[in-house]
């Protein structure tokens, strides 16, 4: 089994990556492969609402950024993690472009239906629940199965590495990884 983890933070090895790593470590203990893809800091186009994806099943007509490669990664995965920092009380623009375009294309094909997915959110202080809810909407509208943890999947920190001091946030991620592994084995195994 394979999970693809998308990280929209532009900070290499920043707090979002640290939280995704905590989830991935638990998945890997259960022999579930995790591929990390950092989308943060890349120039990505938003959805232009052209409707061409309904004619070009599984592909976006915009072909000058890596989005079609990421659509293929989602299609080939058993599970998907979406990790985003919180910018001005919601997810950042790279994650918004990913969920809009991948979501629109893959709703046409149904390729995400009954896959397992979960959000991972980092915030300095406020806005984390809005980011979490927006990511949850992506999973819901695509009919995905979402395991939870004992608390919302979020952690707090500003400087790189701060989230490692958020004991509850890190344990929330580890439990999410264990729960996601359980669900993946039941649903996809």
């Amino acid at each position: 089994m394979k999970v693809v983890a998308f990280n929209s933070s532009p900070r290499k090895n920043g707090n979002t990556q640290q939280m995704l790593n905590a989830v991935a470590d638990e998945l890997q203990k259960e022999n579930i492969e995790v591929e990390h893809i950092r989308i943060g800091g890349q120039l990505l186009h938003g959805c232009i609402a052209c409707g061409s994806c309904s004619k070009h099943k599984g592909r976006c007509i915009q072909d000058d950024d890596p989005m079609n490669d990421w659509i293929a990664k989602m299609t080939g995965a058993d599970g998907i993690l979406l990790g985003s920092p919180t910018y001005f009380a919601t997810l950042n623009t790279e994650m918004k472009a990913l969920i809009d375009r991948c979501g629109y294309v893959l709703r046409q094909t149904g390729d995400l239906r009954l896959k397992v997915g979960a959000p991972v959110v980092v915030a300095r202080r406020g806005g984390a629940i809005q980011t979490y809810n927006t990511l949850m909407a992506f999973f819901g509208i695509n009919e995905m199965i979402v395991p939870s943890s004992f608390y919302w999947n979020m952690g707090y920190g500003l400087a790189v590495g701060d989230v490692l001091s958020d004991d509850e946030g890190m344990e929330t991620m580890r439990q999410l990884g264990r729960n996601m592994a359980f669900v993946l084995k039941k649903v996809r195994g």
Side-chain angles (χ1 to χ4, degrees):
M1 275 184 280
K2 182 175 182 177
V3 169
V4 63
F6 292 93
N7 175 1
S8 67
S9 174
R11 290 182 176 175
K12 187 174 185 179
N13 298 317
N15 290 319
T16 305
Q17 187 62 56
Q18 297 302 320
M19 301 218 31
L20 286 167
N21 288 346
V23 179
D25 288 348
E26 297 301 321
L27 291 167
Q28 290 164 338
K29 287 177 187 175
E30 296 295 325
N31 298 313
I32 297 169
E33 179 187 350
V34 179
E35 178 181 0
H36 292 272
I37 299 174
R38 191 164 70 89
I39 67 172
Q42 296 197 42
L43 181 58
L44 304 174
H45 305 290
C47 179
I48 59 173
C50 67
S52 293
C53 54
S54 64
K55 299 177 196 102
H56 301 93
K57 298 291 185 196
R59 291 196 59 79
C60 178
I61 195 169
Q62 297 183 79
D63 211 14
D64 59 347
D65 65 14
M67 202 65 72
N68 281 315
D69 293 336
W70 298 338
I71 290 167
K73 295 278 187 187
M74 285 187 180
T75 300
D78 299 293
I80 298 167
L81 288 167
L82 297 179
S84 180
T86 301
Y87 287 10
F88 291 90
T90 193
L91 44 80
N92 65 0
T93 57
E94 293 92 340
M95 183 58 72
K96 183 63 172 149
L98 181 81
I99 65 174
D100 283 354
R101 286 178 58 201
C102 291
Y104 211 121
V105 168
L106 293 172
R107 284 194 68 218
Q108 307 297 317
T109 65
D111 286 340
L112 295 180
R113 186 174 185 276
L114 300 180
K115 289 189 184 223
V116 178
V120 171
V121 176
V122 177
R124 182 191 68 81
R125 175 101 23 237
I129 200 68
Q130 175 70 17
T131 305
Y132 177 86
N133 288 340
T134 302
L135 293 172
M136 287 293 287
F138 170 84
F139 298 123
I141 200 165
N142 284 293
E143 300 179 65
M144 297 177 69
I145 299 165
V146 183
S148 58
S149 187
F150 60 83
Y151 199 72
W152 293 280
N153 308 338
M154 56 186 71
Y156 295 91
L158 176 60
V160 172
D162 279 356
V163 76
L164 296 172
S165 298
D166 178 1
D167 294 336
E168 184 179 19
M170 294 306 292
E171 187 54 35
T172 299
M173 293 304 112
R174 288 188 285 272
Q175 187 62 42
L176 174 62
R178 292 186 287 268
N179 291 349
M180 189 171 191
F182 176 84
V183 172
L184 278 163
K185 289 181 175 187
K186 293 292 184 186
V187 173
R188 308 293 288 184

